[in-house]
Amino acid sequence: ECEDIVKQEWGCGLRNTSDKRDDCETPFYKVLHQVRQPLRTIESLVAKFCIGGIEGKVQPSFLIFANALFPQHKFGEMSCIEAAGYYVDEYNSAIGKARELGLVDDFFQVEEATPCQIANAAGFMDLDSDSVYTPSRDRVLKVCTGE
């Protein structure tokens, strides 16, 4: 079931014919790419999904997810560090292509972006947006005006 959901959602923006992204399970007003330093991402994946260290096996939940997104790789035959590295590379390549196609509105680097910068990129401060509850938008604007 989880594999089917991942396959359905991955690339939902490509199937979309409207600006509202309503073909996706989570039809957000803006799509942001949250960027981290790639080695930190790999380190995090290894810490969470390796059984027996970096040369060990990969947890089954990660294998299901990674294989659903990138079936051209045999993640189950790789060491955990290899699986994490290939996954990060493939994911970043796919998101890069999506950005080139205009399917990703903006990106931010986790280690450097402020909450107000992210809120702005997400459209939480757009006066003409109906995707944010007006009193919530007004609170965000009030907090972020002084930044």
Side-chain angles (χ1 to χ4, degrees):
E1 177 183 1
C2 291
E3 184 177 350
D4 291 339
I5 292 170
V6 168
K7 287 180 180 176
Q8 176 184 339
E9 284 303 295
W10 184 252
C12 70
L14 292 172
R15 296 188 306 272
N16 213 349
T17 57
S18 73
D19 289 338
K20 292 186 178 185
R21 297 183 169 106
D22 48 6
D23 187 38
C24 302
E25 183 73 21
T26 52
F28 294 107
Y29 176 66
K30 299 265 185 150
V31 175
L32 303 180
H33 179 199
Q34 174 181 300
V35 180
R36 288 189 70 198
Q37 203 286 338
L39 291 178
R40 290 286 183 215
T41 304
I42 293 170
E43 176 184 49
S44 178
L45 289 172
V46 166
K48 291 180 181 103
F49 296 108
C50 288
I51 301 168
I54 62 173
E55 292 298 324
K57 298 278 184 196
V58 183
Q59 285 189 11
S61 60
F62 180 81
L63 288 176
I64 291 169
F65 186 77
N67 285 322
L69 292 181
F70 309 112
Q72 70 272 28
H73 293 289
K74 295 181 177 163
F75 289 101
E77 296 175 7
M78 298 177 186
S79 69
C80 195
I81 189 80
E82 289 173 317
Y86 276 105
Y87 173 81
V88 169
D89 180 59
E90 289 289 352
Y91 184 85
N92 284 332
S93 295
I95 294 296
K97 290 175 188 168
R99 284 176 56 192
E100 289 172 9
L101 294 170
L103 298 171
V104 176
D105 297 299
D106 205 349
F107 70 96
F108 63 94
Q109 187 168 1
V110 173
E111 295 89 352
E112 296 180 9
T114 68
C116 290
Q117 289 170 331
I118 297 167
N120 187 43
F124 293 170
M125 297 184 208
D126 294 352
L127 297 176
D128 60 345
S129 169
D130 62 354
S131 66
V132 179
Y133 181 59
T134 303
S136 297
R137 184 199 61 227
D138 293 344
R139 287 183 67 195
V140 170
L141 284 168
K142 183 178 179 182
V143 168
C144 292
T145 308
E147 186 178 281

